[in-house]
RNA sequence: GUGAGUGUAGCUCAGUUGGUUAGAGUCCCAGAUUGUGAUUCUGGAUGUCGUCGGUUCGAGCCCGAUCACUCACCCCA
């Protein structure tokens, strides 16, 4: 036997362990996500956790490789752990093609991987709720997604004043870029996205570098600073721009009808980095000191087409578990959840075998039950019953045990009673 | 990839100008008492002081390197 001590195993960078107490929080969040998704009529789907590398590079370019976990399998195939769900969704949709009745609403809670430096709210492995409405260009698709998002945040206990859903339109930006004669629109989006971050001077310079004139830059700056659609209307004039504005007006009207006027607003600074967005884009921020984006999404009418399928318009959004959990923790909205059981089967005499048998009898009736695994003192059994959140303790060897009746105690009320297995079951079901 | 900060028990942290065998609370375990729970009392276990090297008679403390974590930048699907 070697005397050298093995190096203790270490958690990989950017990953998390989920001990039972962490898992309860995770489950609490996932349950709410699922509950609201189902309430809005979304159906759950899943895909493989790794895909062909090309599925991701095809959409975002080769530079994305440095930001994801890719590897070659034993057959020499280039694969990657999925960094996002949308390409997988597009693949699923393309494969079924016309066989899917449209429009349709799907959701998923994928585990995603990104090879990047971990920091607050960003890890290398995380989960993200994805909601997508596909097969329709109706603005009610956007409205549906945004309403579902808001409903979830409210369901978690956040107030309408705790967050802000900023709404913008890639269609409007694209139309205006064309209207003022921008030579290289694709180079301009990332600059627009960073406008507030880099400041007016750097913004102007970046636009010049992208081939725009000073006048074009000033026009763009004016548009981006607009605080209302009324202001925007005074700036734009093209028919495509007018159409984009009309679309946003409709959306605001619908969301106001949904009672969300408090937490929605125009924010043209939201551009989002992805090249595939074609219409409305939106982001949800928490209104605190940090102003972190907790969710974001937009319309991508040509994604499936670009990936080699038929044209299937769609709009989707994602909400990560890390930022959300941070946010809920800050607002003290993560309930302290402990283990819960229906029954703890105890023994006065150390008859573990009998507790085992009775525990299984209760389990057959559908209850969550444990019993001591070895002969431990009675006081310790009660302690365990409490620690494990048992609603009720059933004593297998009380005075009437010979007649098939057991004493049982309601731990919440502190009351005692005697009854048959069936009678106790009825009591528990109340 | 760049910069800053922090590393002492499972967790939260003390640890004096460098000085004997590194502490507390919590948690965990055991014992006592309880034929009917959360209490109380007693006891116990756990540390390469992140790691390696240097200075020193002597380093948890000073210096260097390294690793990890955290935060920010870059990026953000």
């Amino acid at each position: 036997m070697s005397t050298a001590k093995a190096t203790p195993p270490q958690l990989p960078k950017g990953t998390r362990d989920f001990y039972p107490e962490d898992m309860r929080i995770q489950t609490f969040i996932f349950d709410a996500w699922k509950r609201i998704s189902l309430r809005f009529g979304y159906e759950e789907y899943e895909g493989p956790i790794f895909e062909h590398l090309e599925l991701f590079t095809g959409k975002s370019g080769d530079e994305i490789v440095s930001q994801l976990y890719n590897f070659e399998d034993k057959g020499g195939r280039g694969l990657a752990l999925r960094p996002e769900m949308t390409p997988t969704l597009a693949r699923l949709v393309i494969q079924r093609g016309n066989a899917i009745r449209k429009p349709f609403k799907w959701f998923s809670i994928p585990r995603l991987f990104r090879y990047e430096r971990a920091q607050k709210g960003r890890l290398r492995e995380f989960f993200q709720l994805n909601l997508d409405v596909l097969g329709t260009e109706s603005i009610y698709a956007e409205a549906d997604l945004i309403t579902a998002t808001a409903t979830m945040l409210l369901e978690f206990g956040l107030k309408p004043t705790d967050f802000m859903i900023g709404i913008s339109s890639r269609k409007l930006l694209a139309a205006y870029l064309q209207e003022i004669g921008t030579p290289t629109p694709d180079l301009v989006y990332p600059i627009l996205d960073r406008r507030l971050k880099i400041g007016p001077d750097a913004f102007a310079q970046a636009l010049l570098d992208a081939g725009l004139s000073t006048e074009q830059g000033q026009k763009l700056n004016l548009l981006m600073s607009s605080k209302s659609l009324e202001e925007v209307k005074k700036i734009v004039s093209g028919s495509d721009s007018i159409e984009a504005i009309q679309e946003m007006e409709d959306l605001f009207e619908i969301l106001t009808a949904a009672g969300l006027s408090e937490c929605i607003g125009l924010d043209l600074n939201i551009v989002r980095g992805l090249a595939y967005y074609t219409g409305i884009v939106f982001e949800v921020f928490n209104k605190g000191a940090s102003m972190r984006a907790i969710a974001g999404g937009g319309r991508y009418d040509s994604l499936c087409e670009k990936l080699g399928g038929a044209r299937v318009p769609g709009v989707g959004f994602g909400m990560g578990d890390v930022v959300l959990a941070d946010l809920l923790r800050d607002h003290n909205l993560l309930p302290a959840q402990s283990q819960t059981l229906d029954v703890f089967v105890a023994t006065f005499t150390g008859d573990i075998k009998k507790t085992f048998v009775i525990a299984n009898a209760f389990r057959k009736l559908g209850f969550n039950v444990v019993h001591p695994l070895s002969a431990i003192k009675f006081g310790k059994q009660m302690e365990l019953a409490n620690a494990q959140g048992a609603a009720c303790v059933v004593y297998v060897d009380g005075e009437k045990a010979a007649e098939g009746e057991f004493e049982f105690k309601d731990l919440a009320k502190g009351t005692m009673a005697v009854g048959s297995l069936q009678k106790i079951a009825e009591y528990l079901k109340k």
Side-chain angles (χ1 to χ4, degrees):
Chain A
M1 189 181 129
S2 169
T3 52
K5 226 179 179 176
T7 311
Q10 266 188 331
L11 180 71
K13 191 192 277 283
T15 64
R16 291 167 290 175
D17 288 322
F18 292 91
Y19 285 89
E21 63 267 30
D22 306 307
M23 206 62 217
R24 278 181 223 123
I25 290 171
Q26 184 85 325
T27 302
F28 166 76
I29 290 173
F30 283 19
D31 281 354
W33 276 352
K34 275 197 178 188
R35 191 167 61 245
I36 305 302
S37 297
L38 294 171
R39 194 178 298 167
F40 277 77
Y42 290 76
E43 290 190 281
E44 190 167 14
Y45 70 97
E46 238 308 8
I49 212 158
F50 54 84
E51 292 271 9
H52 288 291
L53 181 60
E54 304 83 66
L55 184 66
F56 305 118
T57 56
K59 194 195 80 183
S60 310
D62 289 341
E63 67 278 7
I64 200 79
V65 174
S66 67
Q67 308 242 27
L68 46 77
Y69 282 90
N70 64 307
F71 60 97
E72 205 170 89
D73 73 3
K74 290 174 183 176
R77 286 169 280 261
L79 301 170
L81 298 180
R82 62 187 180 197
E84 59 169 325
M85 198 57 171
T86 309
T88 297
L89 171 64
R91 189 173 56 70
L92 263 58
V93 171
I94 290 168
Q95 282 169 190
R96 284 272 173 100
N98 287 331
I100 307 174
R101 178 183 297 152
K102 296 172 192 64
F104 58 101
K105 309 201 289 184
W106 285 2
F107 82 97
S108 192
I109 304 178
R111 186 189 284 256
L112 303 177
F113 303 85
R114 293 176 187 176
Y115 192 85
E116 59 186 349
R117 196 86 167 246
Q119 55 183 289
K120 190 168 181 62
R122 286 173 69 182
L123 298 174
R124 290 182 164 188
E125 181 193 36
F126 59 98
F127 294 86
Q128 187 185 68
L129 169 70
N130 275 69
L131 292 187
D132 291 88
V133 182
L134 290 117
T136 176
E137 292 179 24
S138 166
I139 194 69
Y140 279 94
E142 278 89 339
D144 199 85
L145 276 181
I146 292 171
T147 308
T149 308
T151 302
M152 278 174 199
L153 296 177
L154 295 172
E155 179 93 357
F156 281 119
L158 290 168
K159 297 186 213 61
T161 48
D162 287 335
F163 59 92
M164 169 58 66
I165 302 174
I167 294 168
S168 179
S169 169
R170 283 289 277 265
K171 191 188 280 183
L172 173 67
L173 293 176
Y176 190 63
L177 285 176
Q178 194 179 11
E179 200 173 309
I180 63 173
T182 310
T184 53
D186 285 348
L187 290 179
V188 173
Y189 290 123
I191 302 170
L192 297 182
D193 195 41
R194 283 184 297 160
R195 189 179 76 100
L196 292 182
K197 218 180 266 181
I198 62 181
D201 295 341
F203 177 69
Q205 185 57 49
L207 290 179
L208 288 176
D209 293 345
L212 275 70
S213 70
T214 307
E215 197 199 346
Q216 286 171 324
Q218 285 167 348
K219 281 184 172 173
L220 270 178
N221 196 45
L222 186 65
L223 177 76
M224 297 290 285
S225 308
S226 303
K227 295 279 180 247
S228 72
L229 286 175
E230 297 309 311
E231 284 178 51
V232 175
K233 278 181 186 169
K234 289 175 192 160
I235 299 166
V236 305
S237 55
S239 60
D240 286 351
S241 300
I242 302 296
E243 188 188 310
I245 290 171
Q246 182 59 48
E247 192 177 74
M248 295 179 85
E249 280 181 336
D250 291 347
L251 181 58
F252 279 115
E253 193 191 316
I254 297 165
L255 292 175
T256 300
L260 294 176
S261 56
E262 253 183 305
C263 47
I264 55 172
L266 177 73
D267 188 349
L268 294 181
N269 294 298
I270 295 166
V271 179
R272 297 185 64 76
L274 277 178
Y276 61 61
Y277 286 121
T278 55
I280 298 285
V281 287
F282 65 95
E283 279 182 8
V284 186
F285 299 93
N286 70 308
K287 275 197 201 161
S290 64
M291 279 292 285
R292 288 196 79 85
I294 51 186
R299 177 165 283 279
Y300 49 88
D301 283 346
S302 47
L303 178 62
C304 288
E305 221 168 351
K306 278 184 183 162
L307 287 175
R311 184 186 133 87
V312 181
V315 48
F317 97 104
M319 185 190 312
D321 70 318
V322 183
V323 174
L324 179 65
D326 281 349
L327 180 66
L328 296 180
R329 197 172 293 113
D330 289 347
H331 281 83
N332 215 6
L333 292 172
L334 287 178
Q337 308 194 51
S338 50
Q339 184 180 5
T340 56
L341 290 167
D342 298 313
V343 179
F344 185 98
V345 184
T347 168
F348 298 120
T349 62
D351 190 346
I352 303 302
K353 190 173 181 184
K354 184 150 192 195
T355 65
F356 173 76
V357 170
I358 300 301
N360 279 319
F362 276 108
R363 287 168 184 153
K364 275 183 190 161
L365 297 172
F367 295 105
N368 300 336
V369 189
V370 297
H371 67 94
L373 296 173
S374 60
I376 52 174
K377 288 187 192 171
F378 180 74
K380 182 66 75 181
Q381 293 180 51
M382 294 304 287
E383 207 177 303
L384 272 179
N386 269 304
Q388 300 189 91
C392 173
V393 179
V394 172
Y395 308 93
V396 295
D397 39 18
E399 283 167 13
K400 300 183 84 175
E403 301 152 42
E405 298 216 325
F406 307 107
E407 294 164 57
F408 63 99
K409 179 165 198 167
D410 184 317
L411 285 180
K413 292 181 192 160
T415 54
M416 294 283 308
V418 182
S420 66
L421 208 127
Q422 285 300 335
K423 199 182 154 193
I424 297 172
E426 278 168 36
Y427 178 87
L428 286 168
K429 278 174 184 164
K430 279 182 207 165

